[in-house]
Amino acid sequence: MKAFRIHVHEAHPVTENVAMPQPGLGEVLVRVAAASLNPLDVKLQRGNMQSFFPLTFPYTLGTDLSGTVEVLGGQVTDWSIGDRIVARTAPTSGGALAEFALVPADQLVRLPEAITLDQAAGIPTAAGTAWQALFEVAHLRQGQTVLIHAGAGGVGSFAIQFARQAGACVIATASGRGIAIAERLGADIVIDYRNEDFVSRVRDVDVVLDTVGGETQARSYEVLRAGGFLASTVAPPDEALAKARGVGAAFVFHSSNAARLATVVEKVAGGVEVLTDRLLPVGDALQAFEHQSTGRARGKIILKSAS
Ligand SMILES: NC(=O)c1ccc[n+]([C@@H]2O[C@H](COP(=O)([O-])OP(=O)(O)OC[C@H]3O[C@@H](n4cnc5c(N)ncnc54)[C@H](OP(=O)(O)O)[C@@H]3O)[C@@H](O)[C@H]2O)c1
């Protein structure tokens, strides 16, 4: 089968012929229909995540995939050949950008008919992180106001929709074409961050979702109310600064979790949009990877299998 792999950090990923993986106990072999990229794949390729996710080479890129069950490993009883699924593999395992991928059976989520396999591939990491950050880390509630940075990004585009559905008032940052996108997804106010300083437009918000880091994170403390909360997916917030300002702050470390994935899959089946920057054939994986590396994607970059 074909797989999109790296042999060392920072090397250009290449598509190679490799042996078919065999499912072990508790594993399922999935025929991959589509896979999506995340900034994590770029960070893993660059070697920036070694302390969290040490890789063994060769490493097949990609954690987010959809497809059908092809072969059941030992002791797998809840699944049948041909079942439509969506899943996220562990970052250390990767493997989504291949014709077939091994997934632990307990990480599979059944795909409702209302969701296409292409859409499904865009869900796991971005939607799961948005959900975890807003509701499990920041405990966003109905009636609160949330500032979502990078509202047209993978995480931000899901976060806008989840927050709106939860009854929050949503302020988002975006630029260019992303402004109209963030408005369409349900943001009440969109700030063009390239032309306006968000700190001058926003005050007393309950929650900030930081998906940008750096200056954006540091300045976000200024817009929180006392007792507010900053959740960052990019870098651990400065705890001393948070304390000095009388707010809470935490890093969101997204963990694969089939129950959470099932929750966000239900949301998509109910109408939440999988904002798609581009849908490409898997043969264009290198081009897709390079686009992901720019940090300018507006939504998910999804690669569709040839078979
Ligand atoms: N900790 C975790 O477990 C976890 C999980 C998921 C993601 N993450 C991290 O979270 C970050 C976001 O992930 P993602 O998937 O949403 O990324 P993404 O889809 O690549 O985000 C791209 C978007 O960011 C916007 N953007 C860039 N700089 C901005 C700024 N200064 N202000 C506002 N928007 C800006 C871009 O809009 P413009 O082109 O208009 O600038 C673009 O639409 C990444 O660093 C990722 O690694 C961490």
Side-chain angles (χ1 to χ4, degrees), residues 63-276:
T63 56
D64 292 12
L65 64 95
S66 65
T68 49
V69 172
E70 182 80 5
V71 180
L72 302 177
Q75 295 178 4
V76 175
T77 53
D78 295 344
W79 297 94
S80 305
I81 310 301
D83 283 348
R84 297 167 82 242
I85 64 88
V86 58
R88 180 178 192 259
T89 64
T92 44
S93 307
L97 285 164
E99 288 178 86
F100 296 89
L102 289 179
V103 183
D106 63 6
Q107 293 300 320
L108 297 175
V109 169
R110 216 171 287 280
L111 198 59
E113 286 299 324
I115 305 177
T116 67
L117 287 159
D118 292 344
Q119 287 172 311
I123 298 174
T125 297
T129 303
W131 189 271
Q132 184 179 350
L134 291 178
F135 305 118
E136 298 171 26
V137 177
H139 303 289
L140 181 71
R141 296 189 309 276
Q142 184 175 12
Q144 290 191 321
T145 299
V146 57
L147 170 63
I148 296 169
H149 286 296
V155 175
S157 58
F158 282 111
I160 289 175
Q161 298 176 82
F162 293 155
R164 255 311 277 267
Q165 283 196 356
C169 172
V170 178
I171 306 169
T173 60
S175 80
R177 208 169 49 82
I179 295 169
I181 291 172
E183 283 170 350
R184 177 169 57 74
L185 295 176
D188 297 283
I189 299 169
V190 182
I191 298 168
D192 176 355
Y193 77 90
R194 289 185 197 270
N195 291 310
E196 270 184 289
D197 180 4
F198 69 90
V199 174
S200 67
R201 283 280 306 274
V202 183
R203 64 178 58 208
D204 288 338
V205 302
D206 299 285
V207 170
V208 174
L209 174 53
D210 165 40
T211 64
V212 174
E215 271 288 290
T216 300
Q217 181 188 108
R219 301 198 65 227
S220 288
Y221 291 103
E222 297 174 41
V223 306
L224 280 167
R225 67 164 168 83
F229 198 92
L230 182 146
S232 177
T233 64
V234 182
D238 183 331
E239 285 179 21
L241 191 54
K243 200 171 169 198
R245 289 200 164 262
V247 299
F251 180 59
V252 182
F253 189 86
H254 175 65
S255 50
S256 299
N257 176 317
R260 186 191 302 118
L261 178 54
T263 299
V264 293
V265 163
E266 276 307 308
K267 294 288 175 191
V268 173
V272 163
E273 178 179 337
V274 180
L275 177 66
T276 303

